[in-house]
Amino acid sequence: PKQNFRVVFDTGSANVWVPGSECRSLACAVHNSFEEDASITYRPSLKADGSVKTIEIRYGSGTIHGKIAKDVVRIGSVQALDQPFVLAESELSPAFAVAHFDGIVGLGFRPISVGNLPTLIETLKRDHSLKSASVSFYLPNSVHARGEITVGALNKDCFTGNVTWTKVTNPGYWQIGLEGVEIIQPESSREGDAGESKVPLVQPAAGKDYGGFDSARYEQHEGEGGGNIAKLEDSLGGSTKGPPSTT
């Protein structure tokens, strides 16, 4: 029978993990855990000596340690056969305990996959489960509206106009180049925090490492609790050609 999990789709990592049934961390106790005996397609990844392979994955918010296995992973109507994933045996962070998710599905590229494990998108491409090797997000303006992730396609009901495609400039992360950034309408503010929606500016492009910006505001850190904020406009290089094929 299938086992359901609530996960974060993380473009800043590349591994898939959920809590394992043997985990005794508080974070595992308050979230759904994977029951190995309940899956007939589950297979542990073994070393040459017959022991189970283990792995440690470090995030900015904490570290998980667990064992590597393979099973069928389904997202909506698509599935990846024999997808490598990690069963967490410990979750070393209070952040995981209060999180509204059980595990993480990394959507980054193989170079940042801990243990060099195949990514979910790689496996879906191998199984010819995708129309295109793409993942798209719809992020609503209101916190009360529902967001959406579409794997292998674009939901044209979620946007208007053309899609601009641009090359990734980092082989591991979804990092893209900016042709320019124009700061407009400067404002003064005592405190500004773009939170997890920050997009970091790399120093060669900006001339100075500004704290980060999002689509509506720019933030220059000048000490804890203070800063200058201004609205900005950015321009991306790219084309309107379609996404990469899975063939």
Side-chain angles (χ1 to χ4, degrees), residues 28-213:
C28 296
V30 296
H31 290 99
N32 294 321
S33 60
F34 183 85
E35 300 291 340
E36 302 169 25
D37 295 338
S39 174
I40 61 174
T41 51
Y42 168 83
R43 293 191 298 117
S45 294
L46 304 177
K47 300 178 183 178
D49 61 3
S51 60
V52 178
K53 294 180 180 178
T54 60
I55 195 171
E56 181 179 271
I57 305 175
R58 297 182 180 182
Y59 298 90
S61 56
T63 300
I64 69 110
H65 181 276
K67 54 187 179 183
I68 304 172
K70 293 182 179 181
D71 208 333
V72 178
V73 175
R74 292 185 178 89
I75 300 177
S77 61
V78 299
Q79 67 176 20
L81 304 177
D82 285 333
Q83 170 62 38
F85 72 108
V86 178
L87 291 176
E89 296 179 314
S90 65
E91 298 183 26
L92 305 178
S93 171
F96 290 140
V98 299
H100 296 288
F101 59 84
D102 302 314
I104 293 177
V105 172
L107 296 175
F109 299 98
R110 177 73 80 90
I112 64 170
S113 173
V114 179
N116 196 35
L117 301 179
T119 67
L120 177 64
I121 299 301
E122 282 185 80
T123 307
L124 290 172
K125 287 172 59 179
R126 182 205 66 192
D127 295 344
H128 303 287
S129 297
L130 301 178
K131 292 181 180 180
S132 68
S134 62
V135 177
S136 58
F137 293 89
Y138 168 65
L139 304 177
N141 291 326
S142 171
V143 295
H144 303 293
R146 293 178 65 88
E148 178 180 304
I149 177 174
T150 305
V151 180
L154 292 172
N155 185 347
K156 295 184 179 180
D157 293 333
C158 294
F159 67 93
T160 59
N162 296 320
V163 175
T164 298
W165 300 92
T166 186
K167 291 183 178 180
V168 170
T169 58
N170 184 311
Y173 297 92
W174 289 97
Q175 177 180 303
I176 59 176
L178 292 179
E179 289 185 343
V181 177
E182 180 182 0
I183 302 172
I184 58 176
Q185 299 179 13
E187 303 169 357
S188 63
S189 176
R190 187 170 185 276
E191 181 176 358
D193 185 2
E196 293 301 319
S197 62
K198 283 184 183 178
V199 180
L201 278 173
V202 294
Q203 195 163 1
K208 183 177 180 180
D209 185 9
Y210 298 114
F213 66 86

Side-chain angles (χ1 to χ4, degrees), residues 226-237:
N228 295 326
I229 295 177
K231 294 182 180 179
L232 66 79
E233 291 180 350
D234 60 76
S235 57
L236 304 176

Side-chain angles (χ1 to χ4, degrees), residues 205-228:
K208 183 177 180 180
D209 185 9
Y210 298 114
F213 66 86
D214 60 21
S215 60
R217 51 176 33 188
Y218 159 93
E219 180 181 21
Q220 177 183 349
H221 288 290
E222 293 185 344
E224 186 174 350
N228 295 326

